[in-house]
Amino acid sequence: MNKKELEIIKQKALEDHIPIIMDDTLDVVSKILIKAKPSRILEIGTAVGYSAICFSEYLQENGSIDTIERDEERAKQARKNFKRVEVEDKIQLYEGDAVEILPTLQESYDVIFIDAAKGKYPFFLEQALRKSHQGTVIIADNVLYKGYVMGDYNKHKQRTAVRNLREYIAEITNNIRLETEILEVGDGLAISRIR
């Protein structure tokens, strides 16, 4: 993988205010991936492909990533970026709404990374559980959402996102199939392992 090109992709995304995985979050996820040694990763929310590229480094030989992005421009940019860093043979990008695409995917994954529409996290979890096996790690980024989720935030604009993130946290904390920890890294990172 061309690290220099990866750095250029990262800087451009930051300049264009495209949300990409934060460095401290990436550090934590990288450690999980080293331990998990995944053959198959599912990513919900590609943006311009930065995180998928970073994750691809930790795949087993012949491993692959399925990633979903609904924004046409970002998906186009992600495809260019995969080529640029020479990982396009490891990453399959599905363009469209994850709510429609997820039910069509039948594979089982070793690691599932959720970083898309906050209001859809409970649905993404339901789908992630369907695509898991014992030992699968489900990672959800931004679960504390600027601190709103743990506070008494109730402003109309973000209310649905906050309510659904709270529902996500309740589900992963109470589901007996899952062993969960929530870290105050980045904007909140939930890590759940299937028992």
Side-chain angles (χ1 to χ4, degrees):
M1 184 197 296
N2 188 328
K3 296 280 192 195
K4 203 168 137 211
E5 288 292 346
L6 184 62
E7 192 54 39
I8 293 166
I9 290 166
K10 177 184 173 182
Q11 290 313 322
K12 171 124 178 53
L14 293 171
E15 280 162 28
D16 296 343
H17 304 290
I18 289 167
I20 58 170
I21 191 167
M22 295 183 200
D23 290 345
D24 51 355
T25 305
L26 183 58
D27 287 345
V28 174
V29 175
S30 298
K31 287 184 182 114
I32 292 167
L33 294 176
I34 288 167
K35 240 172 153 168
K37 300 183 176 67
S39 291
R40 295 191 58 79
I41 297 175
L42 171 64
E43 177 185 56
I44 306 169
T46 316
V48 293
Y50 175 71
S51 46
I53 293 167
C54 294
F55 299 165
S56 70
E57 196 181 347
Y58 302 99
L59 285 168
Q60 291 282 356
E61 201 179 338
N62 301 321
S64 64
I65 297 177
D66 288 341
T67 184
I68 305 169
E69 178 56 51
R70 71 171 178 205
D71 183 293
E72 203 178 319
E73 276 311 300
R74 287 181 183 179
K76 201 157 88 182
Q77 191 57 54
R79 284 197 176 91
K80 280 185 193 155
N81 290 340
F82 297 154
K83 242 190 189 77
R84 192 172 170 175
V85 189
E86 296 168 13
V87 293
E88 72 272 24
D89 56 336
K90 293 180 177 181
I91 303 173
Q92 163 78 37
L93 193 155
Y94 292 88
E95 196 179 323
D97 191 332
V99 170
E100 291 163 15
I101 292 169
L102 284 167
T104 70
L105 301 179
Q106 299 309 322
E107 293 81 4
S108 173
Y109 296 92
D110 307 309
V111 174
I112 298 173
F113 184 71
I114 302 171
D115 188 12
K118 309 300 160 237
K120 302 277 190 328
Y121 271 37
F123 175 79
F124 295 155
L125 176 63
E126 184 190 306
Q127 291 296 312
L129 289 170
R130 189 175 71 77
K131 295 171 199 335
S132 296
H133 51 75
Q134 192 178 4
T136 294
V137 184
I138 300 170
I139 305 165
D141 201 3
N142 309 114
V143 291
L144 298 179
Y145 201 45
K146 307 178 182 106
Y148 297 154
V149 173
M150 294 309 185
D152 55 3
Y153 185 85
N154 204 17
K155 289 207 179 80
H156 179 67
K157 192 168 177 279
Q158 311 291 353
R159 195 183 306 155
T160 304
V162 170
R163 186 185 63 231
N164 288 344
L165 285 167
R166 284 178 182 151
E167 187 186 318
Y168 181 92
I169 289 170
E171 175 61 33
I172 57 173
T173 312
N174 299 319
N175 188 321
I176 55 166
R177 281 183 68 200
L178 299 175
E179 190 181 300
T180 294
E181 56 179 334
I182 295 171
L183 307 180
E184 287 185 29
V185 62
D187 197 12
L189 193 67
I191 303 155
S192 305
R193 286 178 184 79
I194 306 276
R195 295 181 202 271

